[in-house]
Amino acid sequence: MNRNVILTCAVTGAGDTTAKHPGVPVTPKQIAEACIEAAKAGASVAHIHVRDPETGGISHDLAHFREVMERVREADTDIVMNITAGGGGDWIPDVNDPTRGGPGSDIQTPAERHAPVAELLPELCTLDCGSLNFGDMVYINPADWLREHARLVQAAGVKPELECFDLGHVWFARQLQEEGLIDGDPLYQLCLGIPWGAEADTETMTAMRNKLPANANWAAFGIGRHQMPMVAQAMLLGGHARVGLEDNLYLDKGVLANNGQLVEKAASIINHLGGRVMTPAETRTHLKLRHPATGQIMGGDA
């Protein structure tokens, strides 16, 4: 059991959730405010995507990432920042020509995915570790693309969060480590409940955890109604946790949530199980992250 939990809040995501919940953050200002709200509620880390302010759809605009980062850093509430680098992998075959991507496809090269990370140097960024059927589309991450992306993240001095949506992704993430492309103790995120990847249940989380390297830090999350049960399960199995509107829109059945409420509910679960949520400063020290103000690598265990 882990009694000192790093709690991430994934504040918006890139999915088609704005039509279901009018409170999903869309503009850079709203996304930054959501990060600050999560921090004030007790989150250790804010994980961010950005959206097109006009449509609410997917965006990879560096200016939007920059505005979010600047607004959060200028606030009086500290939080570790984790920028997504997993966008640009959505592929839907064209109906008339299945050799080409059709409407809804969104593909970026590793260099394009990495651009906001290289420019803004957050403490963390995601590195998704494999391809899968992601609902009705294919999420594409060829192995050589991931090796290239890992090299770019490594050169930037940013710690990758190794996102694993299935057991084979854990295997490949270990391979990246064996090839010297991951520095220090690796950080894994076990992503559960996305059709058609790893299921959100105890057996699956345990199986994935048991395949992690001995020196790994790890967290897990479940989507939708699985979000809070997976907070408890991850903590009990020795890991950290993630909540937020990217993964789940509801505080209770039929009751829409905001990010702060989801953080508070998760923190209450952690506290009632005899643990505590780590502060952003403790998180930087525990994971040996670069301090955003000084550039110094924080070290040791919190």
Side-chain angles (χ1 to χ4, degrees):
M1 178 172 170
N2 177 23
R3 297 186 184 275
N4 296 291
V5 179
I6 297 168
L7 182 57
T8 293
C9 184
V11 300
T12 187
D16 184 19
T17 53
T18 55
K20 302 174 185 176
H21 187 346
V24 171
V26 171
T27 68
K29 182 175 184 290
Q30 290 170 344
I31 294 168
E33 288 172 347
C35 295
I36 295 165
E37 175 187 86
K40 290 182 176 179
S44 318
V45 179
H47 172 58
I48 64 166
H49 293 248
V50 293
R51 295 176 179 265
D52 184 321
E54 299 299 323
T55 68
I58 297 170
S59 174
H60 309 297
D61 193 324
L62 175 56
H64 296 335
F65 281 107
R66 181 183 291 109
E67 182 179 346
V68 172
M69 291 286 289
E70 289 177 350
R71 285 180 179 273
V72 173
R73 294 298 188 215
E74 290 168 0
D76 61 357
T77 303
D78 188 25
I79 194 162
V80 173
M81 293 299 289
N82 178 345
I83 286 182
T84 184
D90 303 346
W91 195 80
I92 301 171
D94 184 84
V95 173
N96 298 314
D97 182 0
T99 67
R100 298 178 180 273
S105 295
D106 177 42
I107 302 297
Q108 286 189 302
T109 66
E112 289 169 335
R113 294 183 187 189
H114 179 67
V117 175
E119 177 73 19
L120 301 173
L121 296 178
E123 293 104 314
L124 293 166
C125 72
T126 57
L127 181 65
D128 297 353
C129 290
S131 303
L132 78 156
N133 288 331
F134 199 108
D136 293 334
M137 70 178 184
V138 179
Y139 182 47
I140 294 180
N141 285 295
D144 284 345
W145 282 28
L146 291 175
R147 288 185 172 93
E148 179 184 346
H149 198 169
R151 291 186 188 97
L152 292 170
V153 174
Q154 187 177 51
V158 175
K159 190 174 190 70
E161 180 186 69
L162 303 168
E163 291 208 329
C164 298
F165 296 83
D166 218 338
L167 196 55
H169 297 184
V170 176
W171 183 10
F172 186 75
R174 294 200 318 265
Q175 180 64 27
L176 290 177
Q177 187 178 359
E178 290 174 11
E179 293 176 13
L181 298 175
I182 306 297
D183 293 331
D185 295 340
L187 173 62
Y188 284 74
Q189 181 72 257
L190 309 182
C191 311
L192 307 179
I194 294 104
W196 302 104
E199 294 181 84
D201 57 37
T202 301
E203 293 83 0
T204 303
M205 188 188 294
T206 303
M208 295 176 78
R209 181 207 63 175
N210 288 348
K211 290 294 186 178
L212 299 177
N215 66 333
N217 291 288
W218 68 276
F221 69 86
I223 67 168
R225 63 186 175 86
H226 300 291
Q227 183 167 83
M228 295 303 164
M230 292 301 102
V231 169
Q233 188 61 85
M235 178 183 176
L236 291 171
L237 289 177
H240 304 284
R242 169 174 137 174
V243 295
L245 292 181
E246 175 172 350
D247 307 321
N248 165 47
L249 301 178
Y250 294 94
L251 187 65
D252 206 343
K253 186 174 182 179
V255 180
L256 292 172
N258 61 43
N259 284 292
Q261 290 170 327
L262 294 173
V263 170
E264 288 171 354
K265 186 171 183 177
S268 177
I269 291 170
I270 292 164
N271 291 336
H272 278 92
L273 288 173
R276 56 182 286 275
V277 177
M278 295 175 72
T279 67
E282 290 170 331
T283 298
R284 291 187 186 98
T285 299
H286 185 72
L287 297 179
K288 299 181 176 63
L289 304 179
R290 181 168 49 195
H291 194 282
T294 66
Q296 178 184 356
I297 301 295
M298 312 305 291
D301 290 333

